[in-house]
Amino acid sequence: MSVKSILTEPNKLLRQISKPVESVGGEERKLMDDMLDTMYAAPGIGLAAIQIGVPKRIIVMDISRDEDKKEPRYFVNPVIKNRNKEKVKYEEGCLSVPDQFAEIERPNACEIEYLDYDGKKQLLKADGLLATCIQHEMDHLEGILFIDYLSKLKRSMIIKKLSKNKVNREIF
Ligand code: ZN
């Protein structure tokens, strides 16, 4: 297992649509292990494969935020089957949009069909933070970032700030 570097906006790869995984084998499991390590190290509660530059429809999550009681979740080829009409607002951040937060409104519950770490088909009824997080991560598979829900002005201000930070980071 190893920690990979996380791509940050602006980066064209983050805008790519990820491809479905044909089957869950050793390669996919190694990728999921690396993604989990990377996510815990960041630290974050969710990570999509494209955030480390791999355009596959794979997500890892752990919303427990508990060092001693880790509850990793793995989603391969996730599909939203149902989403609630009722919406809820969360202040969202993203490892690919460092240090930026914004209130985003999403359906407060949803049902997701996916393959797990062993390649077994699963159905998950999610609500609360879990539902918000899975929807945020699934957006990554479509090349969508949470800042895309903001006004054009807010979004471009954030991207400008991030571009500036990037230059600074490269100098050091
Ligand atoms: Zn994100």
Side-chain angles (χ1 to χ4, degrees), residues 13-32:
L13 266 173
L14 288 171
R15 299 309 192 165
Q16 207 170 306
I17 294 175
S18 295
K19 292 201 176 73
V21 173
E22 276 178 34
S23 65
V24 182
E27 198 186 313
E28 286 73 23
R29 276 190 276 273
K30 190 189 175 298
L31 173 62
M32 287 190 262

Side-chain angles (χ1 to χ4, degrees), residues 51-160:
Q51 292 181 273
I52 56 165
V54 182
K56 287 185 178 177
R57 301 184 84 82
I58 297 180
I59 290 164
V60 297
M61 277 172 48
D62 186 343
I63 59 163
S64 71
R65 290 194 187 117
D66 189 341
E67 278 284 318
D68 304 319
K69 252 174 51 195
K70 285 183 177 162
E71 286 172 29
R73 296 170 186 268
Y74 309 88
F75 301 88
V76 179
N77 298 342
V79 177
I80 292 187
K81 287 292 179 188
N82 270 308
R83 51 185 111 210
N84 241 8
K85 285 205 180 77
E86 236 172 276
K87 297 196 169 176
V88 65
K89 267 186 194 166
Y90 264 100
E91 177 130 62
E92 293 189 22
C94 178
L95 294 174
S96 294
V97 189
D99 304 324
Q100 304 300 317
F101 297 89
E103 267 195 356
I104 306 294
E105 198 177 52
R106 301 182 189 269
N108 69 354
C110 59
E111 263 181 41
I112 304 118
E113 198 177 85
Y114 62 99
L115 301 177
D116 65 14
Y117 191 80
D118 299 311
K120 273 196 208 126
K121 202 185 237 189
Q122 302 282 356
L123 188 72
L124 175 75
K125 284 183 185 171
D127 59 13
L129 179 61
L130 183 61
T132 294
C133 189
I134 187 79
Q135 290 174 80
H136 172 117
E137 299 309 327
M138 285 182 70
D139 274 352
H140 278 298
L141 308 183
E142 308 302 330
I144 296 168
L145 299 173
F146 79 93
I147 53 170
D148 298 352
Y149 296 107
L150 305 175
S151 69
K152 220 176 168 185
L153 181 68
K154 260 192 193 163
R155 188 168 67 237
S156 59
M157 271 166 58
I158 287 176
I159 292 174
K160 215 169 160 186

